Amino acid sequence: MPKGSNTPVPTAALRVELGWRSGPGVPDADASALLLVGGKVRTDGDFVFYNQPVHSSGAIRHEGKQNAGGRVTDTLLVDLARVEPAIETVILAASTDGGSFGQIPDLYIEVRDAAQNTVAARFDSTGASVETAFVLGEFYRRQGAWKFRAVGQGYGTGLEGLATDYGISVDEPQQAAPAVTPTPAPPVTAAPPVAPPVAVPPPPQTAPPATPVRLTKVTLTKAAPSVSLTKQGGTSGHLRVNLNWQVRKQFSGWAGKLGRAVAMHDDLDLDLCALFELSDGRKGVVQALGNAFGSLHQPPYIHLDGDDRTGAVATGENLTVNLDHRNDFRRILVFVTIYEGARSFADLNATVTLQPQHGAAIDFSLDECTVPSPVCVLALITNNGGDLVVQRESRFLVPERGVSPQRTVDYAYGWGMTWTPGRK
């Protein structure tokens, strides 16, 4: 599509993919969406992005980032049938992290029918320079139907400027008020006669202002693999660990010396798990096998939310850690296993997001799997004298014959537990 053109799209679930070519010196980018009435959001909740990945209506969710074959994609799932009637426009935007869009090659936005996997619209954006935020496209209503317009409008003020322009309240550092120089009091004069009191109705009650949106995030890489939750302000409330992945109907995986193909299907079942060691020496595992889902309000203060096969960030596989009991933790090791549907993580691209209730989101992508591995260690959280540190692992392990993935992780990290067979 050329810039400024429009095309009808089905009123259905659509997968909106922001993509570009990766490489040395290419900054990261993040997709976002804004739901507008009269050109502005109604509340800060109408902004969907990495720190606020699901709209309250369920119509839009941020599915996460994938990196494969030198291409990076960040995806939004937009269900136009669930967009509230008051919403007139859904803005589809992007922002950079560590550079400008002029440094991002082959930038595009593609809209696909999520059920049929057919392309409904595509816009290849060119000519960017110093912009750090872009409105790539928008959905808008016309005579009861939805259309997509290729926009291609850049901003030099980043995600904060883009969000503010559409009415978002952005969390900013507080500044001390300037000192006030006292002024001399006026001379005292005789007071005029006092009028009889008049009843005045109380002022209308207004709701307290909502907490402004926090735009900060942390991306862990090989060069910068760890971050302190304490320094990010994320040491209380709940910490959600989410694993999302892209399920393809069939693709070839690690071939190995025998030339075998690994097929992954819609029934791919990944299990998010956590080994824990508490400060009193107790150890254990939280996982779906054996219904060991844990608990948030008693040891181990870790809970597996459910067992999902979609890979979506709004559902997916989620672990929740109760950081109000951070002093009870010595270390937590988060890993994922393939329960069924494949024999290896080869060609499977996944993203891990750690979202503290307070503080910046932390995310990272898994490295490419080059070995026949059914288990990947994602992250290690350690308590270093009260400072909780998240370490990106992204480590694929190959179990020995007859050794379970869980026991393989135990051996690699010296947990020292006894294992027995289990079922879901």
Side-chain angles (χ1 to χ4, degrees), residues 298-379:
Q298 60 186 20
Y301 309 111
I302 305 169
H303 183 253
L304 178 63
D305 296 353
D307 187 24
D308 182 80
R309 297 190 179 198
T310 67
V313 71
T315 52
E317 291 280 327
N318 293 280
L319 275 167
T320 306
V321 180
N322 189 345
L323 295 181
D324 291 336
H325 292 271
R326 62 189 180 277
N327 292 331
D328 291 296
F329 298 123
R330 182 172 294 167
R331 55 178 179 160
I332 303 170
L333 188 68
V334 183
F335 63 99
V336 59
T337 67
I338 298 175
Y339 184 70
E340 62 182 9
R343 289 174 291 177
S344 170
F345 278 108
D347 292 333
L348 178 67
N349 300 299
T351 301
V352 182
T353 303
L354 292 87
Q355 179 64 69
Q357 187 172 337
H358 309 288
I362 301 166
D363 65 11
F364 60 89
S365 297
L366 297 186
D367 294 330
E368 183 179 356
C369 180
T370 59
V371 294
S373 170
V375 56
C376 178
V377 180
L378 305 178

Side-chain angles (χ1 to χ4, degrees), residues 218 220 224-232 362 387-392:
V218 176
L220 300 182
S226 64
V227 65
S228 166
L229 283 175
T230 305
K231 293 179 180 178
Q232 296 297 324
I362 301 166
D387 183 12
L388 293 178
V389 175
V390 177
Q391 173 78 27
R392 175 187 186 269

Side-chain angles (χ1 to χ4, degrees), residues 158-175:
L159 184 59
E160 180 176 349
L162 174 70
T164 303
D165 281 354
Y166 287 105
I168 301 293
S169 300
V170 176
D171 188 10
E172 297 179 351
Q174 297 296 314
Q175 297 181 351

